[in-house]
Amino acid sequence: GIDDCVTWGQGCDNPADGGLPVQCEQTSDCTANGHSGSVCCIKGTTPAAVPGCGYDKAKGGTGVFCEQGTACASGDIQICSSQADCPSGTTCTPFKWKIIQLGYCK
């Protein structure tokens, strides 16, 4: 199937040649999985507007991870499910990554 659970922090093995981990879809997912003091971040890609569409899209990337601290590492983008997840001055904006609809703090 498309979903496969593995032990937290271990590499994905679905498909057999490696999948993309999704540890969270909002910061509270990190806390719920024992990683309080973390934020939810996507690595290796930045969402951008798709001309002619009403949403942003991200290509590439290596996964969505809980990163320790109050902000994502340089080059990573914070994931959100509501405005409350985002730092002041940013807006939780929907986007598509692979087959998943997420939000990011833009």
Side-chain angles (χ1 to χ4, degrees), residues 17-28:
D17 60 350
L20 296 169
V22 178
Q23 293 181 345
C24 51
E25 292 184 7
Q26 60 196 359
T27 296
S28 62

Side-chain angles (χ1 to χ4, degrees), residues 30 44 49 69 79-80 82 84 87 90:
C30 299
I79 298 299
C80 57
S82 72
T90 63

Side-chain angles (χ1 to χ4, degrees), residues 7-81:
T7 302
W8 183 272
Q10 298 301 306
C12 293
D13 59 4
N14 182 18
D17 60 350
L20 296 169
V22 178
Q23 293 181 345
C24 51
E25 292 184 7
Q26 60 196 359
T27 296
S28 62
D29 292 340
C30 299
T31 302
N33 284 294
H35 295 273
S36 60
S38 296
V39 292
C40 186
C41 307
I42 190 166
K43 290 182 172 288
T45 187
T46 301
V50 177
C53 293
Y55 61 87
D56 293 359
K57 184 175 181 179
K59 295 181 180 182
T62 58
V64 181
F65 302 91
C66 292
E67 295 185 13
Q68 189 67 36
T70 58
C72 297
S74 179
D76 297 348
I77 305 296
Q78 187 168 338
I79 298 299
C80 57
S81 66

